[in-house]
Amino acid sequence: EQAATMLARLAKAAGKDIGEYEPDFADRDSISSWALEAVGQMQGIGVMNGTGDNNFSPKGSYTREQSIATMVRLLFYIFDGNITRAMPS
């Protein structure tokens, strides 16, 4: 949930308005109230898809692999799928 919050803030800082989404994970009640909006946003745009069995595991660990995958997905979202726009020329 902390990662979702940071990623949502990064998208906002990059000028992307994500809009409002409600998370629909089976363990939604375990997500902290301060993180609900960000988790919903990251799920809604496909950056975070949960840990399996429709769970988010908000108190679980966030692996290096998960962080790389979510950052790449967020970059594609921010740059409308044209990641080369993010690269220096």
Side-chain angles (χ1 to χ4, degrees), residues 1-68:
E1 64 188 29
Q2 293 173 355
T5 302
M6 289 187 285
L7 292 169
R9 290 178 181 168
L10 177 60
K12 184 176 181 178
K16 271 305 216 195
D17 180 26
I18 297 174
E20 294 185 27
Y21 292 90
E22 282 289 322
D24 64 0
F25 293 110
D27 58 351
R28 181 189 188 284
D29 292 339
S30 299
I31 301 170
S32 300
S33 60
W34 54 264
L36 270 175
E37 180 180 7
V39 171
Q41 290 174 323
M42 293 301 101
Q43 182 186 24
I45 64 172
V47 170
M48 292 182 142
N49 302 309
T51 58
D53 295 326
N54 195 35
N55 286 307
F56 183 71
S57 305
K59 310 298 187 237
S61 61
Y62 185 58
T63 67
R64 288 184 189 123
E65 294 84 358
Q66 288 171 316
S67 68
I68 292 166

